[in-house]
Amino acid sequence: MAPSPKVLVTTRLFDDAATHHLVARGCTVVPSGLAPDALDTDISDADLDRLLDGAAGWIVGQRAVTRAVLARHPGLKVIARRGVGYDRVDVAAAEDLGRVVTIAAGANDAAVADHTLALMLAVLRRLRESAAALAAGDWRVVSGSDLYGKTVGLVGFGRIARQVARRLHGFDVRVLVETPRPDFAAAGVTYVTLPELLASSDVVSLHAPLGPTTLHLLNGETLGRMKPGAVVVNTARGGLIDDAALLVALAAGRLGGAGLDVFEAETDPALRPVAEALVARPDVVASAHAAGSSREALARGNMISAHCVIAALLGEEMPAGCLVVDGR
Ligand SMILES: NC(=O)c1ccc[n+]([C@@H]2O[C@H](COP(=O)([O-])OP(=O)(O)OC[C@H]3O[C@@H](n4cnc5c(N)ncnc54)[C@H](O)[C@@H]3O)[C@@H](O)[C@H]2O)c1
Ligand SMILES: O=C(O)[C@H](O)COP(=O)(O)O
């Protein structure tokens, strides 16, 4: 290993504490050159190759890490996600090429769970319409629905969904869960199939990773199986929902609204008009992939990803939170 291994940081909102830690452990930190809150998907391929030249570590945001990029940079030993989703990283290629891929497991699960509840409640209580009316000087009451007493269906039951379930118990709701491995004995949840969950839930909240089995999990057909007036919440990944089909279902009045933090348009600019039509709707409460980005979660994720890179480069044991992921 070079005496002062180069670590490229392209994830947005990286902070000084994590940078100083990398430097203190002998790394040379190379920033992306973008504005601190800009997405690394905005870096051109040529600029990325220039930035990665000679890098041993890469703390990456939502940018795709492809086999081709990895092959062009044989000195790149470790790719660390500051978050937990790694659907944009070709982990099979990384494994083939002997590279380490890590995530910051648990760094942002509380933040995403809080945000999920915020979206759920905001849609149910029609806070967007209420706030807009009041801002326009209209003091009428905009009446929404209780969360209390409802049935909430969670798709996926990993770190985030379990935190969502814990929070939901305080609302006295029935919690249904659909997951491929219903082996976690959680009090107060009932494991069901996806068709059962869709048919019974007043709120459907998505917490599964994006992959071949979850792409367009909610599409025209499955949205049509949901209870009339039900609410959809997605704080997981754009691509779990067919956004065009969701727009059709909302416009037809089939659903009660949607809370959306993630959109297909994030990775497919051709779908921008669909995302824009969704976020313009009064029954949609939206944020721009911010669920996991509370100040506290960012600080944790930044420091964990720095630790992951250092451990991989210096051959140390991976510290708590650093989870090495593979292609299986
Ligand atoms: N919006 C944000 O800012 C943000 C932040 C963090 C995570 N995320 C997304 O949330 C996802 C979940 O995060 P996590 O930390 O809970 O991950 P996790 O790996 O702990 O849990 C994922 C769960 O999904 C389940 N799953 C896998 N395939 C499924 C399928 N076909 N149907 C139903 N369930 C399935 C898994 O068995 C597991 O229970 C991440 O993959 C990421 O994409 C988004
Ligand atoms: O996968 C995640 O945890 C979220 O998408 C947030 O990722 P980020 O921390 O890289 O923004």
Side-chain angles (χ1 to χ4, degrees), residues 44-65:
S44 72
D45 290 346
D47 281 347
L48 182 65
D49 276 336
R50 184 179 49 73
L51 287 162
L52 279 173
D53 188 36
W58 181 13
I59 299 179
V60 66
Q62 304 296 332
R63 176 84 186 201
V65 181

Side-chain angles (χ1 to χ4, degrees), residues 11-12 61-62 81-85 108 237 289:
T11 195
R12 62 181 165 168
Q62 304 296 332
R81 284 274 300 113
R82 185 264 308 281
V84 292
N108 58 17
R237 275 293 181 272
H289 206 137

